[in-house]
Amino acid sequence: ELCPLSYILNRTLDLIFARDTEELFHEPVNADEVPGYLEEIENPMDLGTMRMKVENMEYSSFDQFKKDFMLIISNCLLFNATGSNIYKYAEKLRDTCRTTLNRCKQTIENTPIDWDTLLLLKQEEKTLEEQLVDVKNKVEETKAITNRSTRTSRLKQVRTLYTYFTYTV
């Protein structure tokens, strides 16, 4: 069965991978190339390891996922000199991913997940037509929003809902 938490976390991780344009955090730090790293950093983390944890369904909450992302950033900031290029890059990645992480959290909060099984909760059965009407209504409500950034944010949520809906049908 489809695990909505893993699906949402995987999509979020895709966006984070794309934002790491220098690919500095895609794989574990190579101890041969960075002497002293493993002596100074107690809990190494990277995006590739996070991907494996998502695929193995090792995350049971958004907070665990975010904690690992922040661990990547804090390890980088701890190991590298303040003001160095890599230090600034980690800060920038953290800042640019803040919105992505917030959207992920909102999506998870708005998805009816059974936290014991991590599967979708059973909802009242709606016909395909009723579900499509719901999506259409959300699109119409979104069009009425006058604030551009709010409207854009809502459209992304509706798009996620539509994508999830079409994936599960």
Side-chain angles (χ1 to χ4, degrees):
E1 288 188 50
L2 177 67
C3 176
L5 180 64
S6 292
Y7 175 79
I8 295 165
L9 295 180
N10 240 331
R11 300 262 335 234
T12 302
L13 207 46
D14 290 341
L15 296 172
I16 294 172
F17 261 91
R19 290 210 167 95
D20 181 13
T21 56
E22 299 294 322
E23 300 182 5
L24 296 179
F25 304 111
H26 286 199
E27 298 176 358
V29 171
N30 184 330
D32 294 334
E33 294 176 9
V34 186
Y37 184 80
L38 295 179
E39 288 77 29
E40 191 169 336
I41 301 300
E42 291 181 27
N43 298 309
M45 183 54 62
D46 62 278
L47 296 174
T49 300
M50 287 181 69
R51 173 80 72 199
M52 287 177 42
K53 289 176 79 170
V54 168
E55 290 171 359
N56 293 329
M57 295 181 17
E58 293 179 38
Y59 293 116
S60 60
S61 72
F62 168 78
D63 291 334
Q64 292 173 340
F65 178 84
K66 183 178 180 182
K67 182 179 177 185
D68 275 352
F69 175 75
M70 296 309 294
L71 181 59
I72 293 170
I73 302 300
S74 62
N75 285 348
C76 182
L77 299 179
L78 177 65
F79 187 77
N80 295 285
T82 304
S84 66
N85 287 341
I86 193 166
Y87 188 98
K88 290 176 185 176
Y89 182 81
E91 287 182 314
K92 182 178 177 186
L93 183 65
R94 177 196 61 206
D95 295 343
T96 59
C97 289
R98 186 171 285 129
T99 301
T100 301
L101 291 169
N102 287 339
R103 284 193 186 124
C104 175
K105 183 177 181 180
Q106 287 175 340
T107 302
I108 290 169
E109 288 172 351
N110 293 331
T111 303
I113 298 173
D114 178 339
W115 291 104
D116 292 328
T117 64
L118 299 179
L119 299 175
L120 279 176
L121 286 172
K122 295 284 184 196
Q123 293 183 306
E124 61 183 63
E125 295 293 324
K126 289 186 176 183
T127 66
L128 182 59
E129 292 79 15
E130 290 172 325
Q131 293 176 45
L132 287 172
V133 167
D134 287 347
V135 171
K136 182 181 177 209
N137 289 339
K138 289 191 185 304
V139 169
E140 293 303 319
E141 290 170 8
T142 302
K143 287 180 183 178
I145 297 172
T146 56
N147 181 293
R148 183 177 180 193
S149 64
T150 304
R151 185 175 59 246
T152 301
S153 177
R154 180 68 60 83
L155 279 172
K156 288 179 182 176
Q157 290 174 353
V158 170
R159 205 172 305 135
T160 299
L161 174 66
Y162 178 76
T163 302
Y164 184 75
F165 169 74
T166 57
Y167 185 75
T168 57
V169 170

